[in-house]
Amino acid sequence: MRPSGRQLDQMRSISIETGVMRHAEGSCLIKMGDTHVLCSATIEDKAPSFLKNTGLGWVTAEYGMLPRATNSRTRREAAVGKQGGRTQEIQRLIGRSLRAGVDRSALGERQIVVDCDVLQADGGTRCASITGGWVALRLAINRLLKAGTITSDPIIDHVAAVSCGVYAGQPLLDLDYPEDSVAGTDGNFVMTGRGRLIEVQMSAEGASFSREEMLQLLDLAEIGSGLLVSAQKAAVE
Amino acid sequence: MRPSGRQLDQMRSISIETGVMRHAEGSCLIKMGDTHVLCSATIEDKAPSFLKNTGLGWVTAEYGMLPRATNSRTRREAAVGKQGGRTQEIQRLIGRSLRAGVDRSALGERQIVVDCDVLQADGGTRCASITGGWVALRLAINRLLKAGTITSDPIIDHVAAVSCGVYAGQPLLDLDYPEDSVAGTDGNFVMTGRGRLIEVQMSAEGASFSREEMLQLLDLAEIGSGLLVSAQKAAVE
Amino acid sequence: MRPSGRQLDQMRSISIETGVMRHAEGSCLIKMGDTHVLCSATIEDKAPSFLKNTGLGWVTAEYGMLPRATNSRTRREAAVGKQGGRTQEIQRLIGRSLRAGVDRSALGERQIVVDCDVLQADGGTRCASITGGWVALRLAINRLLKAGTITSDPIIDHVAAVSCGVYAGQPLLDLDYPEDSVAGTDGNFVMTGRGRLIEVQMSAEGASFSREEMLQLLDLAEIGSGLLVSAQKAAVE
Amino acid sequence: MRPSGRQLDQMRSISIETGVMRHAEGSCLIKMGDTHVLCSATIEDKAPSFLKNTGLGWVTAEYGMLPRATNSRTRREAAVGKQGGRTQEIQRLIGRSLRAGVDRSALGERQIVVDCDVLQADGGTRCASITGGWVALRLAINRLLKAGTITSDPIIDHVAAVSCGVYAGQPLLDLDYPEDSVAGTDGNFVMTGRGRLIEVQMSAEGASFSREEMLQLLDLAEIGSGLLVSAQKAAVE
Amino acid sequence: MRPSGRQLDQMRSISIETGVMRHAEGSCLIKMGDTHVLCSATIEDKAPSFLKNTGLGWVTAEYGMLPRATNSRTRREAAVGKQGGRTQEIQRLIGRSLRAGVDRSALGERQIVVDCDVLQADGGTRCASITGGWVALRLAINRLLKAGTITSDPIIDHVAAVSCGVYAGQPLLDLDYPEDSVAGTDGNFVMTGRGRLIEVQMSAEGASFSREEMLQLLDLAEIGSGLLVSAQKAAVE
Amino acid sequence: MRPSGRQLDQMRSISIETGVMRHAEGSCLIKMGDTHVLCSATIEDKAPSFLKNTGLGWVTAEYGMLPRATNSRTRREAAVGKQGGRTQEIQRLIGRSLRAGVDRSALGERQIVVDCDVLQADGGTRCASITGGWVALRLAINRLLKAGTITSDPIIDHVAAVSCGVYAGQPLLDLDYPEDSVAGTDGNFVMTGRGRLIEVQMSAEGASFSREEMLQLLDLAEIGSGLLVSAQKAAVE
């Protein structure tokens, strides 16, 4: 029924391997089926200048994709000379989502940069980046806590993301690339461990959708988000 | 109660003046209160190369803001040497939204470029750009129809957009800048003339929101969208 | 006789509307016939670093043109990734011209940035930018004087500019685009309120001109400049 | 009296050595006192695309300055990543001036690129570039004529340029850098061999000038231009 | 004795895992100790335009490093807006080295792009890229042979690379980062499976070296290269 | 036998003219046959920031080529908007080579920038740049010593460079462009006045070479380097 053969509300297999980059303060390789993203968190002692003397920290993200992560080779953005609109949109989303789960006052005037690099793409790379980016962030903050650099945990809650879409009139959870490319409507849902929403982005490509379809996708996203948060918990323990 | 003194579900005054750019195939100056956006539509005889021999047309958008449209001067992107992430995100949204209201087969292999330039900003510039951009697009397509270049109207429906947000625990319609800058959660809703959804983008800055709050904002968006579509109708007649 | 039907020494209608950008310290929309330029002046508390500890201020200008200000759409410079040679040449001219009318010592160590954005073009955009830019500058400086930030008026004199050209062997005042595009010789004359010269730029495209023709154009420029200065006076009062 | 000790109407020594770049179709090293510019002309078989099927050719110019041509080192534009506004303004002027001396129909659909690279600067580099650039152009066209590629000489007249300025109330011919940097008003005059004008650019830095001063500078320019044209004649024979 | 505790002529452990990127025509993850490089080969049906109608193919390479591959985070080149000099130097070396092992006539008019992305760096990334890049290239060409697209094997020989250096007066094989950063002289040796040289790059940082030292390093490189070629053979079988 | 008619071990004529750029602290025009490079050295009072408070100085280099230095015109890198990979590779090599001959502690916390601009190219431009760059550097340092700014000479030894290659099975010294473009293997050798090596870069284009060929080229390089150092000595006295 689905191109992937999965049930409508069935996630792809989730794997999160931590500590995969020896230099980073926190890192993981997250695999959502054939979508593989390497995430690292870097602690910088200085916050951006607009936060000077505010006592607040910052979390930001950068996103990249290896040229041959995709079916046909994509030009390397460093060679093109700029990050494309899609890349910028995604990295802004990742940063905003992760910040929503952090008490920036408890973090203090420092910055954590989360890098999400897609090694292999099969749909849902921005969602995998948020989910894996949170794990890298959690591990980096653990290190700050363990070293006594900060004393109160700035992490408020888990942050995880999943995509859903309408395919042949049916709502599907966790789209892979073949599903995503034909779905008339799809959405990305970023949620907390307690099931609240941080970001909702729904789009109709050449179509439109109703309030009911929106709620059906949200129902699926809640299922997926719960599973992702469980995987995050297992990974960071 | 609201910083603007408006009712929770009260829009700012809407003004759409058409035909303001003599060279453009379609144009308007849309004013949503103190947010003023100049929109033009340019017809190009060639579609982008990825559409060659498909019989399909394309609608795309570019967005800009005059340096002193804002309270403090913003650096001119042409001088900086690139469009920022925010600009790219917005112009991708405008293009996607307008395309959702167009039958690209009826348009034929040509491209319409919609330019939205913010002359003065007071919140909601991307929504005003979509609403005004649709008017410019409608007028340009009218010209194609009148000239007999195309015979079937590619416009499927009106497309209009409005922002809503949660301010001090209350849902507000059509945020201006002072409201937007303190709202914990806000969203942009792009809707058709028949009240269906094209794009929903909701974000929590440093917070989270519930399904109920999402629906409250959607209720407001439906009110606002109806008024915007009426203003579009009045403008293009 | 002239493509525009005007007399040889007849200016287009001049309109200068002030206070059109609520955020700017000074602003105006200048219309020279179908050429419309939005001008704003921004006061910055810091002078450029090369003036540090000199007690002198600076006036600079930036120029832009909306993509569809022209008959066929021009690529957006922010999207191209740089300002073209023509843009840079024009904004350097505007800045130089306005500085010539300012006592930089009376201005003190601050900078005023004048932005000139062409909303619609029909020839003479650089001249309209100078004339309108002076009005925006005048209004911004009025604000500094009124606030007591400076006590002596740094404005030495009015600065206004007009183009003239030789068309079919006849000298013409205030060229519009159809006239400009066929004129063999044309020039831009920047003058003060007292009728002295600040900048003269004359060019022959594929031809050459004599000392006599130069003086004929200068005669016309003096007429035009007088009318522009009157319009400036009316606007700022 | 003049910082250089020269008479008011005295040019610097002029030297034009031809054939200095073995690969170029035409080349010269022009020295105006301590200002040294290496000029080359390259013939390209194709005209720019906007001239396709018009039968017209094109002459264009590029200008550069070695980093240590100046008293303190200037950053290399290739390293900065773009040509500055001054560079673009100058190379546009050189191209426009040389084109005014060429019958583009006799040249046929080809392009000649004139490169002017300043090896050492002491004021007047744009004028030296025009004067030397014309020599390189003349030599390249001679080669086309000799080879029979074109049969009618596209060169209409000599093109040469000189700067003049007002220094301590006195009009000076051919400013060197110390004179140029203090002159209140200065101008660049591009003239033909027959003494007609091609381009006049006069500027007042922080001052203004009268019609009489303009004519005094023009008188001097005529003297200088005559000498430059003689030097060109001697060089190309 | 060595910071790494290895023997002077001892390589780090070598691991080459193939088929790690499902979309690429050939791929491997090569690990030289803690240096990990992901290599892919992409077959493109068109050769670069300078080879049109020559019957010859091309092999080129691009190199990148994840921001946190290194001990402190490096700025992402895509965000900086250009590839640095080091990156360009390395990717030119990789391309040149791989081409030296390919019969471009047997490859035919197509291009193979080898991407080498450093996931983790501990010295010797350019050498690992060459050694692993060859494996990816070999696998991609195998696919062309298997599909019958080409009939004669364009691979002439193995190509592998290793670095050597002089540390405390002793020649060392296969430098890791702590060794590399203090070595007075170091070199990269690219060799074929038959032990011939393709590229030698030796540098003295703040010192100089003798012919004898050069030969000692070459002796070590021959040992290393032999082991690398064996690892390549094991990997591609 | 050689395309140039020279003996296998015969250098081109060497000419080094000093003091050719009046503004530079040190300068020379080096001619190796038809390869002409203008070299200047600029003393800057500040070292790069990574050397702050180390007491060490820095020597760096930039390289450029005039557009028509070559047989067909090359695009100006400033117009393209970036320095190509070849340029960056060369200027890194020049800087590294010159630094190897300098005691950076004796130089103190200042920087010397060596600019090498190719006026005419006929092969071997990077080697000529190193040899001539050293002369400019020597002259600039002489000035520091003479002024008493530094008291101990930071120059450790001469640094000169020459290319060698294998052509039709024969080793050749000092390749010109026609020889270089057909040589199967070529190398650049940077050596000190005492005959020690600083940098060796050997490459096989589409072939490979043996240890014996490497040593033959090195033998030739020693001959060439000796002559170049003699020419340097003559020039700086």
Side-chain angles (χ1 to χ4, degrees):
Chain A
M1 168 93 216
R2 288 175 74 161
S4 61
R6 283 185 274 144
Q7 299 297 314
L8 297 183
D9 62 352
Q10 189 184 343
M11 297 282 282
R12 292 179 282 186
S13 66
I14 309 171
S15 145
I16 305 179
E17 186 188 354
T18 61
V20 293
M21 296 182 81
R22 66 180 287 222
H23 300 299
E25 280 76 46
S27 69
C28 74
L29 173 62
I30 182 169
K31 298 186 180 175
M32 299 292 302
D34 275 331
T35 288
H36 302 175
V37 185
L38 194 52
C39 306
S40 68
T42 297
I43 300 170
E44 296 179 350
D45 281 342
K46 254 177 40 176
S49 55
F50 63 87
L51 290 177
K52 205 161 183 183
N53 299 325
T54 61
L56 299 174
W58 193 246
V59 175
T60 189
E62 286 190 8
Y63 171 92
M65 202 186 272
L66 296 197
R68 200 53 200 281
T70 43
N71 191 42
S72 61
R73 188 176 182 271
T74 312
R75 284 192 65 196
R76 191 177 287 268
E77 290 186 325
V80 172
K82 63 175 176 181
Q83 296 181 299
R86 180 184 168 277
T87 294
Q88 294 199 50
E89 192 172 309
I90 292 176
Q91 65 192 11
R92 284 161 56 90
L93 169 65
I94 302 170
R96 218 159 52 224
S97 298
L98 294 178
R99 275 195 301 281
V102 168
D103 173 352
R104 290 162 49 210
S105 167
L107 180 57
E109 276 193 34
R110 54 182 54 80
Q111 173 166 264
I112 302 186
V113 182
V114 175
D115 284 290
C116 301
D117 285 272
V118 180
L119 305 187
Q120 190 171 280
D122 186 34
T125 64
R126 77 188 70 190
C127 290
S129 296
I130 291 168
T131 307
W134 185 87
V135 170
L137 177 66
R138 170 76 274 177
L139 295 171
I141 285 177
N142 284 353
R143 194 179 286 207
L144 285 175
L145 287 165
K146 201 169 172 189
T149 316
I150 56 176
T151 49
S152 147
D153 186 0
I155 296 278
I156 303 169
D157 202 346
H158 287 253
V159 176
V162 70
S163 74
C164 305
V166 179
Y167 171 80
Q170 298 276 15
L172 302 189
L173 176 60
D174 188 28
L175 307 179
D176 56 29
Y177 181 74
E179 293 167 346
D180 185 50
S181 56
V182 293
T185 296
D186 66 356
N188 297 295
F189 298 84
V190 187
M191 301 184 74
T192 68
R194 288 181 194 86
R196 286 177 63 86
L197 292 154
I198 285 177
E199 186 103 20
V200 171
Q201 293 194 335
M202 295 187 61
S203 275
E205 262 302 333
S208 59
F209 56 94
S210 64
R211 177 189 284 245
E212 289 65 41
E213 285 169 310
M214 186 171 114
L215 293 176
Q216 285 176 326
L217 297 191
L218 181 52
D219 288 340
L220 288 176
E222 283 175 2
I223 296 172
S225 175
L227 292 170
L228 291 167
V229 169
S230 299
Q232 287 177 330
K233 285 182 181 159
V236 299
E237 262 152 32
Chain B
M1 168 88 216
R2 288 175 76 160
S4 62
R6 282 185 275 145
Q7 300 297 314
L8 298 183
D9 62 352
Q10 189 185 345
M11 298 282 282
R12 292 179 280 185
S13 65
I14 308 170
S15 145
I16 304 178
E17 185 186 356
T18 59
V20 294
M21 297 183 81
R22 66 182 288 225
H23 299 299
E25 280 77 45
S27 69
C28 74
L29 173 62
I30 182 168
K31 298 187 181 176
M32 299 293 302
D34 276 331
T35 289
H36 302 175
V37 185
L38 193 53
C39 305
S40 68
T42 297
I43 300 170
E44 295 178 351
D45 280 342
K46 253 177 41 176
S49 55
F50 63 87
L51 290 177
K52 205 160 183 184
N53 299 325
T54 61
L56 298 174
W58 194 246
V59 175
T60 189
E62 285 190 9
Y63 171 92
M65 202 186 272
L66 296 197
R68 199 55 200 281
T70 43
N71 191 41
S72 59
R73 188 175 182 272
T74 311
R75 284 192 67 196
R76 191 177 286 270
E77 289 186 324
V80 172
K82 62 174 176 181
Q83 295 181 300
R86 180 185 168 278
T87 293
Q88 295 199 50
E89 193 171 309
I90 291 176
Q91 66 192 12
R92 284 160 56 91
L93 169 64
I94 302 170
R96 219 159 52 224
S97 298
L98 294 178
R99 275 196 299 281
V102 168
D103 173 352
R104 288 162 50 211
S105 167
L107 180 57
E109 276 193 34
R110 53 182 55 80
Q111 173 167 265
I112 302 187
V113 182
V114 175
D115 284 290
C116 301
D117 285 89
V118 180
L119 305 186
Q120 190 172 278
D122 185 35
T125 64
R126 78 188 69 191
C127 291
S129 296
I130 292 168
T131 307
W134 185 87
V135 170
L137 178 66
R138 170 76 274 176
L139 295 170
I141 286 177
N142 283 353
R143 193 178 287 207
L144 285 175
L145 286 165
K146 202 168 171 190
T149 316
I150 56 176
T151 48
S152 147
D153 186 0
I155 296 278
I156 303 168
D157 202 346
H158 286 254
V159 176
V162 69
S163 74
C164 305
V166 179
Y167 171 80
Q170 300 273 17
L172 302 189
L173 176 60
D174 188 27
L175 306 179
D176 56 28
Y177 182 74
E179 293 167 348
D180 185 49
S181 57
V182 294
T185 295
D186 66 357
N188 297 295
F189 298 84
V190 186
M191 302 183 74
T192 67
R194 289 182 193 83
R196 287 178 62 87
L197 292 155
I198 285 176
E199 185 102 20
V200 171
Q201 293 193 336
M202 295 188 60
S203 277
E205 260 302 332
S208 60
F209 55 96
S210 64
R211 178 190 283 244
E212 288 66 39
E213 286 170 309
M214 186 171 112
L215 293 176
Q216 285 176 326
L217 297 191
L218 182 52
D219 288 340
L220 288 176
E222 285 174 0
I223 297 171
S225 177
L227 292 170
L228 292 166
V229 169
S230 300
Q232 288 178 329
K233 285 181 181 160
V236 299
E237 264 153 31
Chain C
M1 167 88 221
R2 287 176 76 161
S4 61
R6 281 184 275 144
Q7 299 296 315
L8 298 183
D9 62 352
Q10 188 185 344
M11 297 283 282
R12 291 178 282 186
S13 66
I14 310 170
S15 144
I16 305 178
E17 185 187 357
T18 60
V20 295
M21 296 182 81
R22 66 181 290 224
H23 300 299
E25 280 77 48
S27 70
C28 75
L29 173 62
I30 182 168
K31 297 186 182 177
M32 300 292 302
D34 276 331
T35 289
H36 302 175
V37 185
L38 193 54
C39 305
S40 68
T42 297
I43 300 170
E44 296 179 349
D45 281 341
K46 254 177 41 175
S49 55
F50 64 86
L51 290 177
K52 204 159 184 185
N53 299 325
T54 60
L56 298 173
W58 194 246
V59 175
T60 190
E62 285 190 9
Y63 171 91
M65 202 186 271
L66 297 197
R68 199 55 200 280
T70 43
N71 190 41
S72 59
R73 188 176 182 271
T74 312
R75 284 192 66 197
R76 192 177 287 268
E77 289 186 324
V80 172
K82 63 176 174 181
Q83 295 180 300
R86 178 184 170 278
T87 294
Q88 294 199 49
E89 194 171 309
I90 291 176
Q91 66 192 12
R92 284 160 57 89
L93 169 65
I94 302 170
R96 220 159 52 224
S97 298
L98 295 179
R99 276 196 299 281
V102 168
D103 174 351
R104 289 163 48 213
S105 166
L107 180 56
E109 275 192 33
R110 54 182 54 80
Q111 173 167 265
I112 301 186
V113 182
V114 175
D115 285 290
C116 302
D117 286 90
V118 180
L119 304 187
Q120 190 172 279
D122 185 34
T125 64
R126 78 188 70 191
C127 291
S129 296
I130 291 168
T131 307
W134 184 88
V135 170
L137 178 65
R138 171 74 275 177
L139 295 171
I141 286 178
N142 284 354
R143 194 179 287 209
L144 285 175
L145 287 165
K146 200 168 172 190
T149 316
I150 57 177
T151 50
S152 146
D153 186 1
I155 296 278
I156 304 169
D157 203 346
H158 287 254
V159 175
V162 69
S163 74
C164 305
V166 179
Y167 171 80
Q170 300 274 16
L172 303 189
L173 177 59
D174 188 27
L175 307 179
D176 55 28
Y177 181 75
E179 293 167 347
D180 185 50
S181 56
V182 294
T185 296
D186 66 357
N188 297 295
F189 298 85
V190 187
M191 303 185 73
T192 68
R194 289 183 193 84
R196 287 177 62 85
L197 292 153
I198 284 177
E199 187 101 20
V200 172
Q201 293 194 336
M202 296 188 60
S203 278
E205 261 303 333
S208 59
F209 57 95
S210 65
R211 176 190 286 246
E212 288 66 39
E213 286 169 309
M214 184 171 113
L215 293 176
Q216 286 176 327
L217 296 191
L218 181 53
D219 288 340
L220 287 177
E222 284 174 0
I223 296 171
S225 176
L227 291 171
L228 291 166
V229 168
S230 300
Q232 288 178 328
K233 284 182 180 158
V236 299
E237 263 154 30
Chain D
M1 167 90 216
R2 286 176 76 159
S4 63
R6 283 184 274 144
Q7 298 298 313
L8 297 183
D9 62 352
Q10 190 185 342
M11 297 282 282
R12 292 178 281 186
S13 66
I14 309 170
S15 146
I16 305 179
E17 185 187 355
T18 60
V20 295
M21 297 182 80
R22 65 180 290 223
H23 299 299
E25 279 78 45
S27 69
C28 76
L29 174 61
I30 182 167
K31 299 187 180 174
M32 300 292 302
D34 276 332
T35 289
H36 302 175
V37 185
L38 193 53
C39 305
S40 68
T42 296
I43 300 170
E44 296 179 350
D45 282 341
K46 253 178 40 177
S49 55
F50 63 87
L51 291 177
K52 204 157 185 187
N53 299 325
T54 61
L56 299 173
W58 194 246
V59 175
T60 189
E62 286 190 9
Y63 171 92
M65 201 186 272
L66 297 196
R68 199 54 200 281
T70 43
N71 191 41
S72 60
R73 187 175 182 274
T74 311
R75 285 192 67 195
R76 191 177 286 270
E77 289 185 325
V80 171
K82 63 175 176 182
Q83 295 181 300
R86 180 184 168 277
T87 294
Q88 293 199 52
E89 193 171 309
I90 291 176
Q91 66 192 12
R92 283 160 58 90
L93 169 65
I94 301 170
R96 219 159 52 222
S97 298
L98 295 178
R99 275 195 301 279
V102 168
D103 174 351
R104 290 162 48 212
S105 165
L107 180 56
E109 277 192 34
R110 54 182 55 80
Q111 173 166 265
I112 302 187
V113 182
V114 175
D115 284 290
C116 301
D117 285 272
V118 179
L119 304 186
Q120 191 173 276
D122 186 34
T125 63
R126 77 188 71 192
C127 290
S129 296
I130 291 168
T131 307
W134 184 88
V135 170
L137 178 65
R138 170 76 274 177
L139 295 170
I141 286 177
N142 284 353
R143 193 178 286 208
L144 285 176
L145 287 165
K146 202 170 172 189
T149 316
I150 56 177
T151 50
S152 148
D153 187 1
I155 296 278
I156 304 169
D157 202 346
H158 287 254
V159 176
V162 69
S163 73
C164 304
V166 179
Y167 171 80
Q170 299 275 18
L172 302 189
L173 177 60
D174 188 27
L175 307 179
D176 56 26
Y177 181 75
E179 293 167 347
D180 185 50
S181 55
V182 293
T185 295
D186 65 357
N188 297 296
F189 298 84
V190 187
M191 302 184 74
T192 68
R194 289 181 193 85
R196 287 178 61 86
L197 291 154
I198 284 177
E199 186 102 21
V200 171
Q201 292 194 335
M202 296 188 59
S203 278
E205 260 303 332
S208 60
F209 56 95
S210 64
R211 177 190 285 245
E212 289 65 40
E213 286 169 310
M214 185 170 114
L215 292 176
Q216 285 175 328
L217 296 192
L218 181 52
D219 288 340
L220 287 176
E222 285 174 0
I223 296 171
S225 175
L227 292 170
L228 291 167
V229 168
S230 300
Q232 288 178 330
K233 285 181 180 158
V236 298
E237 263 152 32
Chain E
M1 168 93 217
R2 288 176 74 159
S4 63
R6 282 184 276 143
Q7 299 297 313
L8 298 183
D9 62 352
Q10 189 185 345
M11 297 283 282
R12 292 178 280 186
S13 67
I14 309 170
S15 146
I16 305 179
E17 184 188 355
T18 59
V20 294
M21 297 182 81
R22 66 181 289 222
H23 300 300
E25 280 77 45
S27 69
C28 75
L29 173 63
I30 182 169
K31 299 186 181 175
M32 300 291 302
D34 276 330
T35 289
H36 303 174
V37 185
L38 193 53
C39 305
S40 68
T42 297
I43 300 170
E44 296 178 349
D45 281 341
K46 255 177 39 176
S49 55
F50 64 87
L51 291 176
K52 204 160 184 184
N53 299 325
T54 61
L56 298 173
W58 194 247
V59 175
T60 189
E62 285 190 8
Y63 171 91
M65 202 185 271
L66 297 197
R68 200 53 200 280
T70 43
N71 191 41
S72 59
R73 188 175 182 273
T74 312
R75 283 192 66 198
R76 192 177 287 267
E77 289 185 324
V80 172
K82 64 175 175 181
Q83 295 181 299
R86 180 185 168 277
T87 293
Q88 294 198 51
E89 193 172 310
I90 292 175
Q91 66 192 11
R92 284 160 57 91
L93 169 65
I94 301 170
R96 220 159 52 224
S97 298
L98 295 179
R99 276 195 300 281
V102 168
D103 175 351
R104 289 163 48 212
S105 166
L107 180 57
E109 277 192 34
R110 54 182 54 82
Q111 173 167 264
I112 301 186
V113 183
V114 175
D115 285 289
C116 301
D117 285 273
V118 180
L119 305 187
Q120 190 172 279
D122 186 35
T125 63
R126 76 188 70 190
C127 291
S129 296
I130 291 168
T131 307
W134 185 88
V135 170
L137 177 66
R138 171 74 276 178
L139 295 171
I141 286 178
N142 284 354
R143 194 179 287 208
L144 286 175
L145 288 164
K146 201 168 172 191
T149 316
I150 57 177
T151 50
S152 146
D153 187 0
I155 295 278
I156 304 169
D157 203 347
H158 287 254
V159 176
V162 69
S163 74
C164 304
V166 180
Y167 171 80
Q170 299 275 17
L172 302 189
L173 177 59
D174 188 26
L175 307 179
D176 56 28
Y177 181 75
E179 292 167 348
D180 185 51
S181 56
V182 294
T185 296
D186 66 357
N188 297 295
F189 299 84
V190 187
M191 302 185 74
T192 68
R194 290 182 192 83
R196 288 177 62 86
L197 292 154
I198 284 177
E199 187 102 20
V200 171
Q201 294 193 334
M202 295 188 59
S203 278
E205 260 302 334
S208 59
F209 56 96
S210 65
R211 177 190 286 244
E212 289 66 39
E213 287 170 309
M214 184 170 114
L215 293 175
Q216 286 176 327
L217 296 191
L218 182 51
D219 288 340
L220 287 176
E222 285 174 359
I223 295 171
S225 175
L227 292 170
L228 291 166
V229 169
S230 301
Q232 288 177 329
K233 285 180 180 159
V236 299
E237 264 153 30
Chain F
M1 166 91 219
R2 287 176 76 159
S4 61
R6 283 184 273 144
Q7 299 297 312
L8 298 183
D9 63 353
Q10 189 185 342
M11 297 282 282
R12 292 178 281 185
S13 66
I14 310 171
S15 146
I16 305 178
E17 185 188 354
T18 60
V20 294
M21 296 183 81
R22 66 181 289 222
H23 300 299
E25 280 77 45
S27 70
C28 75
L29 173 61
I30 182 168
K31 298 185 182 177
M32 300 293 302
D34 276 331
T35 289
H36 303 175
V37 185
L38 193 52
C39 305
S40 67
T42 297
I43 300 170
E44 295 179 350
D45 282 341
K46 254 177 40 175
S49 55
F50 65 86
L51 290 176
K52 204 159 183 184
N53 299 325
T54 61
L56 298 173
W58 194 246
V59 175
T60 189
E62 285 189 8
Y63 172 92
M65 202 185 271
L66 296 197
R68 200 55 201 280
T70 42
N71 191 42
S72 60
R73 188 174 182 273
T74 311
R75 283 194 66 198
R76 191 177 287 268
E77 289 185 325
V80 172
K82 63 174 177 182
Q83 296 181 298
R86 180 185 169 276
T87 294
Q88 294 199 52
E89 192 171 309
I90 291 176
Q91 66 192 11
R92 284 160 56 90
L93 169 65
I94 302 169
R96 219 160 53 222
S97 297
L98 295 179
R99 276 196 300 280
V102 167
D103 174 351
R104 289 163 49 211
S105 165
L107 179 58
E109 276 192 34
R110 54 182 55 79
Q111 172 166 266
I112 303 187
V113 182
V114 175
D115 284 291
C116 301
D117 285 272
V118 179
L119 304 187
Q120 190 172 278
D122 186 35
T125 63
R126 77 188 71 190
C127 291
S129 296
I130 292 168
T131 307
W134 184 87
V135 171
L137 178 66
R138 170 75 275 177
L139 295 170
I141 286 177
N142 284 354
R143 192 178 287 207
L144 284 176
L145 287 164
K146 202 170 172 188
T149 316
I150 58 176
T151 50
S152 148
D153 186 0
I155 295 278
I156 303 168
D157 203 345
H158 287 254
V159 175
V162 69
S163 73
C164 304
V166 180
Y167 171 80
Q170 298 275 17
L172 302 189
L173 177 60
D174 188 26
L175 307 179
D176 56 28
Y177 181 74
E179 294 167 347
D180 186 49
S181 55
V182 293
T185 296
D186 66 357
N188 297 294
F189 298 84
V190 186
M191 302 184 73
T192 68
R194 288 182 194 85
R196 287 178 61 86
L197 292 154
I198 284 177
E199 186 101 20
V200 172
Q201 293 193 335
M202 295 188 59
S203 275
E205 262 302 332
S208 59
F209 55 96
S210 65
R211 177 190 285 244
E212 289 65 40
E213 286 170 309
M214 185 170 113
L215 292 176
Q216 286 176 326
L217 296 191
L218 182 51
D219 288 340
L220 287 176
E222 284 175 0
I223 296 171
S225 175
L227 292 170
L228 291 166
V229 169
S230 300
Q232 287 177 330
K233 284 182 179 159
V236 299
E237 261 152 34

